Amino acid sequence: MNKIITVFKKEMLDVIRDRRTIVSMVVIPIVLFPVMTVGFSAFVGTQIEKTQAETQKIAFIGEDNYPELYDYIARDSSLTIVQTEDMRKAITGRIIHAAIEIPESAKERIRAGDSSAIKIYFDGAEIKSEFARDKLRRRLKEFSDAIVEGRLDELGVTPEILHPLPIETENVASEQKMSGFVLSMFLPYMIIILTMVGATYPAIDLTAGEKERGTMETILASPATRTDIALGKFLTVFT
């Protein structure tokens, strides 16, 4: 055991003396990785907000089937309606981001108190296409809600009749508790990953480094057995 401890102390002293090892164990995991993680998250969030604020191009199929709906969507400044011959090819080719199709007799069915399905075409592999889909969904929901309110008004009924039990929620957790909850979601995983990252460079240096520095023969020629040397180095990496 004394030989193992001697190897351990020797390797720990070398690790502490090596500035590169200290940087790889302390500075990179504790400082650089968190800064990169936060910075990357902020960058992605900024890019998503920027993309959402951009104007998406859409195609309108069957605009004559429901002119009022076409005019309502056309008033959205975040959407630009363009003409295209092949809607599917235009979406996959990123010429447009989405398309909306109004079926025939849609206006007549809505006026008769019936419903009519509206189809949205988009590319699920493109984030801009998904944003265009979401914007179209929002505009269609607003238009649909206006139709429902009009129908209820004709019947002399208030829209509140559709929501007899409005739900309100209140979070009683403090900001400190919520912050702790958020940290508990990813901090343990970060600690595990960064612990392994921090120990990687010393582990490499304690093995391959011996051969690179030409000290492998010297340490193998010492009174310590190969098992003693391996265990001493393992305890260093474990520490």
Side-chain angles (χ1 to χ4, degrees):
M1 194 65 190
N2 290 334
K3 296 177 181 178
I4 296 174
I5 294 174
T6 301
V7 174
F8 169 73
K9 289 181 178 179
K10 176 258 182 188
E11 299 296 354
M12 283 297 298
L13 186 62
D14 289 342
V15 167
I16 295 172
R17 286 175 174 174
D18 190 353
R19 185 173 60 183
R20 294 177 302 172
T21 305
I22 296 298
V23 169
S24 67
M25 288 193 306
V26 179
V27 177
I28 293 179
I30 297 179
V31 179
L32 188 59
F33 275 16
V35 169
M36 289 175 61
T37 302
V38 173
F40 181 74
S41 300
F43 173 76
V44 171
T46 302
Q47 291 300 312
I48 290 176
E49 292 179 359
K50 183 179 178 181
T51 304
Q52 286 178 326
E54 292 178 354
T55 301
Q56 271 82 44
K57 297 179 180 180
I58 65 168
F60 213 103
I61 305 169
E63 56 191 70
D64 296 332
N65 297 332
Y66 209 152
E68 290 85 352
L69 178 56
Y70 174 82
D71 293 338
Y72 186 80
I73 293 178
R75 287 198 297 268
D76 192 333
S77 58
S78 64
L79 295 172
T80 301
I81 299 177
V82 299
Q83 300 296 326
T84 179
E85 295 181 358
D86 191 334
M87 168 267 301
R88 294 179 181 272
K89 185 178 294 185
I91 294 176
T92 56
R94 302 181 184 179
I95 299 173
I96 62 174
H97 302 107
I100 181 171
E101 182 178 10
I102 308 299
E104 295 181 3
S105 70
K107 182 177 180 180
E108 289 73 16
R109 296 185 63 178
I110 296 299
R111 284 185 174 180
D114 199 355
S115 62
S116 182
I118 308 297
K119 183 174 285 188
I120 298 175
Y121 300 88
F122 73 102
D123 186 350
E126 291 292 333
I127 189 167
K128 291 184 178 181
S129 184
E130 290 188 345
F131 286 154
R133 176 205 59 187
D134 294 340
K135 290 178 181 179
L136 286 173
R137 276 182 174 176
R138 185 182 68 251
R139 296 296 285 179
L140 288 173
K141 185 179 184 304
E142 293 171 356
F143 193 82
S144 178
D145 291 342
I147 293 175
V148 172
E149 291 181 7
R151 290 178 177 178
L152 293 175
D153 187 57
E154 291 177 359
L155 298 173
V157 179
T158 59
E160 284 74 16
I161 195 173
L162 300 177
H163 307 283
L165 293 175
I167 300 173
E168 295 180 359
T169 60
E170 180 179 350
N171 186 5
V172 298
S174 62
E175 292 184 4
Q176 291 82 359
K177 188 175 182 180
M178 290 302 300
S179 300
F181 171 73
V182 174
L183 288 175
S184 69
M185 295 293 289
F186 69 91
L187 192 58
Y189 302 101
M190 290 290 293
I191 291 175
I192 293 172
I193 294 172
L194 296 181
T195 299
M196 292 187 291
V197 170
T200 299
Y201 186 85
I204 295 173
D205 186 66
L206 291 177
T207 52
E210 293 280 6
K211 189 173 182 180
E212 292 176 359
R213 292 188 296 268
T215 56
M216 181 71 76
E217 293 79 2
T218 304
I219 194 170
L220 288 176
S222 67
T225 65
R226 298 190 179 194
T227 303
D228 296 336
I229 296 170
L231 288 175
K233 290 179 178 292
F234 172 78
L235 289 176
T236 304
V237 176
F238 182 79
T239 302

